[in-house]
Amino acid sequence: MSTKYVFVLGGVTSSLGKGIISASLAKLLQARGLSVTIQKFDPYINIDPGTLNPYEHGECFVTEDGAETDLDLGHYERFLNVYTCQNNNVTTGKIYKSVIEKERAGQYLGKTVQVVPHITDEIKRRMLSLGKEGRYDVVITELGGTAGDIESLPYIEAVRQLQWELEDNDCLVVHLTLVPYLSAAKELKTKPTQHSVRMLQQNGVHPDIIVCRTEHPLPADIRKKVALFCNVKPNAVIESIDAKSIYEVPLLMVSEGLDRLVIDGLSLNESPKLASNPDLTKWKSFLDRLFNPKSEVNIALVGKYVELQDAYKSILESFIHAGAQNECKVNVHSIHSEAINESNIGDYLSNMDGVLVAPGFGERGIEGKIIAVNYVRENRIPFFGICLGMQMAVIEFARNVLNLEDAMTTEIRPNAKNPVINLMEDQKSLTKMGGTMRLGSYECTIEEGSLANRIYGKLEIAERHRHRYEMNSSYVDMFAQNGMIATGKNSETGLVEIVEIPEHPFFIGVQFHPELKSTPENPHPIFVAFVNAALKYKNREI
């Protein structure tokens, strides 16, 4: 059986949840026994989101193979519990770069290079590439942006061509749109959906299924109206109502019959793998623990992008996973590190059961993070530092325990007298910023008997990285002699990956990004252990 392709497009407004709908559909098809992957096409001209400020586009999600990608790939991995790769995220920048490189190499034989057919051909090639690997029954492609965006037009045109080129039962288009409720009129309005679909149809793309985001249930007459004016069957108008959690959406889509519509539309009933119903036993067990916690904790997230929730998306989701594992509701209190100083730190953290100091780049908010680490270290509050958060823990210890004058990272102070955090040697000659950090999965050897060893239950791990600066190895022995131990190191380079303070009830900093590998069905062990420590701290057990 040939690979099937589903395209998920959006209309009316952004942030309707195309990524969640795509991930939910993929989850349901996977739960029926099919092999599924999801890819995201973003219309911006950046090669990848690696150089984007988190305020622009949320967090940058990093895959196992070191690709800096859109945060929706995080949703894909969390829902499917399988890894994505660099081929799962494509941007306009990548498309144009590829076409221009081919033109410079003379591969177009002197032809005039145009959006149609050259750009659209490259888009189609990438849309079909994962399907041609022979590993997947279904490839779901989410298109960023909304119908009518100028930058999205080449992608819409590529989908139009594929609808025409592929067999009828090999291609299906899902359009996610908004049905707003006007409180003054006390009515749900379908006109935005009608206009959005009409705009798609004017570009030659005909949706097979329309998913309507709504705050209120869609009555039968509204569904019939959408179906009539948008040229789909009434049962192909799907209600996507606000849910208590994004993880509830797959169950809502089952009740709406989205998976059955797709299976029928793609003639997947012929697949010998296909189960009659999706097996969501583990998923429902997770939701049961999530919605019925037996306790709760308050954890501070100290960072500098806290105004935008998506900037720390994977961390927040990891707390949801770890909370459910501990049957505990985790209340995350976002604290802007720029607001922290010596006089107010107690006001922020004295009532917290744990403190996570978040990753980031640049000088802004650095001192606030260091003050926060000092407070939790001295007051024995459970601490977890990620990437820059770990580096701030190293600097704080150097200043306040080792009394090293001018201890700092060379990212902020290149000529620091004590550069306890330093630039990696192979980074010093680089002039380009994009895609040049230590990226992707690297192995780490853990010291036996350490906190990390107890958390992971093993001595060899692999975690994902995204950084340039490292703990300066020349200081490691001095730190160890005074109570901060490097308990995890890269097995090849000896670079420090994990630091701990054994005398502290729970104090761990990691150079990598554990949040990128946490899923509902496999919550990350460090987050699980941290939430558990916060619970014990709250109950005065540590």
Side-chain angles (χ1 to χ4, degrees):
M1 189 173 69
S2 59
T3 300
K4 311 291 186 175
Y5 298 90
V6 178
F7 298 96
V8 180
L9 288 66
V12 183
T13 180
S14 60
S15 301
L16 287 182
K18 291 192 301 295
I20 301 301
I21 290 297
S22 300
S24 297
L25 173 58
K27 181 67 183 176
L28 296 181
L29 296 178
Q30 182 193 59
R32 284 178 175 267
L34 299 173
S35 175
V36 188
T37 190
I38 322 176
Q39 56 186 354
K40 175 75 180 289
F41 280 67
D42 276 306
Y44 51 74
I45 299 176
N46 303 67
I47 299 294
D48 58 47
T51 57
L52 285 174
N53 188 308
Y55 287 129
E56 286 284 320
H57 209 66
E59 76 171 4
C60 177
F61 188 82
V62 179
T63 60
E64 283 286 292
D65 61 353
E68 295 175 288
T69 70
D70 183 79
L71 62 82
D72 273 324
L73 269 73
H75 290 312
Y76 305 163
E77 290 201 3
R78 287 187 282 271
F79 276 64
L80 291 179
N81 209 34
V82 295
Y83 295 152
T84 54
C85 66
Q86 59 182 348
N87 293 332
N88 290 79
N89 192 202
V90 179
T91 67
T92 293
K94 286 182 180 177
I95 296 291
Y96 274 80
K97 183 172 183 284
S98 177
V99 169
I100 289 169
E101 286 174 347
K102 289 177 182 177
E103 184 273 334
R104 291 289 83 187
Q107 293 183 27
Y108 295 118
L109 304 176
K111 294 284 187 181
T112 302
V113 179
Q114 298 174 290
V115 173
V116 181
H118 303 100
I119 295 297
T120 51
D121 282 352
E122 180 64 17
I123 292 172
K124 288 190 297 180
R125 185 186 70 80
R126 292 181 182 243
M127 284 178 169
L128 301 177
S129 64
L130 286 173
K132 290 182 177 178
E133 293 179 5
R135 294 189 293 148
Y136 304 109
D137 300 308
V138 181
V139 175
I140 298 176
T141 301
E142 176 195 348
L143 298 189
T146 58
D149 294 347
I150 291 174
E151 58 265 33
S152 297
L153 288 175
Y155 296 98
I156 302 293
E157 170 61 17
V159 173
R160 182 196 71 79
Q161 292 180 22
L162 287 174
Q163 271 192 307
W164 177 65
E165 293 170 4
L166 294 172
E167 296 294 330
D168 288 344
N169 61 355
D170 284 354
C171 176
L172 189 145
V173 174
V174 177
H175 187 53
L176 178 64
T177 182
L178 178 68
V179 178
Y181 180 81
L182 297 187
S183 55
K186 294 183 172 57
E187 285 183 319
L188 288 162
K189 292 295 184 180
T190 66
K191 195 64 71 177
T193 292
Q194 293 177 47
H195 282 305
S196 179
V197 172
R198 190 169 298 135
M199 195 170 296
L200 269 185
Q201 291 172 337
Q202 286 171 351
N203 287 302
V205 174
H206 304 282
D208 300 287
I209 299 170
I210 297 175
V211 179
C212 300
R213 282 287 285 115
T214 175
E215 296 175 343
H216 299 269
L218 294 182
D221 62 323
I222 290 290
R223 296 188 192 227
K224 287 180 181 178
K225 188 175 182 181
V226 171
L228 175 65
F229 287 103
C230 298
N231 203 30
V232 298
K233 299 291 184 184
N235 70 331
V237 178
I238 299 293
E239 172 190 289
S240 178
I241 199 164
D242 289 355
K244 289 188 291 184
S245 164
I246 60 172
Y247 300 112
E248 191 181 20
V249 176
L251 301 186
L252 298 179
M253 291 303 100
V254 166
S255 65
E256 286 290 304
L258 177 60
D259 55 327
R260 174 51 59 191
L261 278 169
V262 171
I263 287 166
D264 291 343
L266 296 176
S267 298
L268 284 165
N269 293 296
E270 303 168 9
S271 172
K273 299 185 194 176
L274 189 71
S276 56
N277 291 296
D279 181 4
L280 296 169
T281 306
K282 289 183 69 177
W283 198 260
K284 289 177 180 178
S285 175
F286 159 72
L287 286 174
D288 183 58
R289 294 192 305 273
L290 176 64
F291 293 146
N292 299 286
K294 296 179 180 177
S295 55
E296 64 178 278
V297 292
N298 293 294
I299 289 178
L301 192 162
V302 179
K304 64 179 185 177
Y305 307 115
V306 295
E307 299 93 335
L308 182 67
Q309 184 170 317
D310 280 353
Y312 298 116
K313 190 64 177 175
S314 291
I315 290 176
L316 295 176
E317 296 304 313
S318 296
F319 276 128
I320 292 173
H321 311 155
Q325 185 72 12
N326 283 283
E327 297 183 282
C328 168
K329 180 183 179 183
V330 179
N331 301 312
V332 179
H333 302 263
S334 297
I335 300 171
H336 204 301
S337 56
E338 277 191 299
I340 293 174
N341 57 50
E342 295 282 3
S343 60
N344 66 15
I345 185 63
D347 297 334
Y348 282 117
L349 300 185
S350 61
N351 293 320
M352 294 295 118
D353 304 310
V355 176
L356 184 148
V357 177
F361 295 91
E363 184 174 5
R364 187 170 62 89
I366 286 284
E367 292 301 326
K369 289 184 176 183
I370 294 171
I371 292 169
V373 176
N374 176 251
Y375 185 88
V376 296
R377 181 179 60 79
E378 292 185 344
N379 288 277
R380 301 175 67 77
I381 300 171
F383 168 79
F384 182 15
I386 297 176
C387 199
L388 185 66
M390 169 206 149
Q391 295 175 3
M392 295 304 99
V394 170
I395 292 170
E396 188 279 327
F397 197 87
R399 289 183 182 180
N400 299 316
V401 177
L402 304 183
N403 297 313
L404 294 179
E405 183 184 351
D406 195 32
M408 197 33 145
T409 167
T410 56
E411 178 184 5
I412 309 305
R413 200 172 299 152
N415 298 316
K417 187 178 296 184
N418 284 291
V420 291
I421 305 295
N422 203 1
L423 192 65
M424 295 187 296
E425 283 301 318
D426 60 356
Q427 292 281 329
K428 292 182 178 178
S429 59
L430 292 176
T431 57
K432 293 183 179 180
M433 301 297 288
T436 56
M437 290 183 278
R438 183 148 75 107
L439 292 164
S441 183
Y442 286 84
E443 293 182 353
C444 170
T445 300
I446 296 174
E447 187 175 298
E448 190 169 1
S450 63
L451 173 60
N453 181 202
R454 296 195 298 275
I455 289 172
Y456 280 98
K458 52 187 175 182
L459 299 177
E460 299 292 335
I461 61 169
E463 294 282 4
R464 298 180 196 176
H465 293 67
R466 183 176 183 252
H467 64 99
R468 284 191 172 82
Y469 293 81
E470 307 275 357
M471 182 176 180
N472 192 331
S473 298
S474 60
Y475 289 86
V476 168
D477 290 342
M478 186 189 304
F479 274 78
Q481 291 164 10
N482 288 273
M484 179 177 274
I485 316 296
T487 59
K489 294 181 180 180
N490 181 273
S491 48
E492 292 185 7
T493 63
L495 293 171
V496 175
E497 301 276 16
I498 304 171
V499 296
E500 302 174 12
I501 299 179
E503 295 303 313
H504 191 282
F506 189 98
F507 191 106
I508 189 167
V510 298
Q511 184 61 75
F512 45 81
H513 289 264
E515 72 274 17
L516 299 177
K517 294 177 75 168
S518 185
T519 71
E521 295 178 7
N522 284 299
H524 197 282
I526 300 184
F527 277 90
V528 173
F530 179 52
V531 171
N532 184 258
L535 263 174
K536 289 180 177 177
Y537 177 83
K538 179 183 180 180
N539 295 329
R540 301 296 184 262
E541 295 174 18
I542 59 173

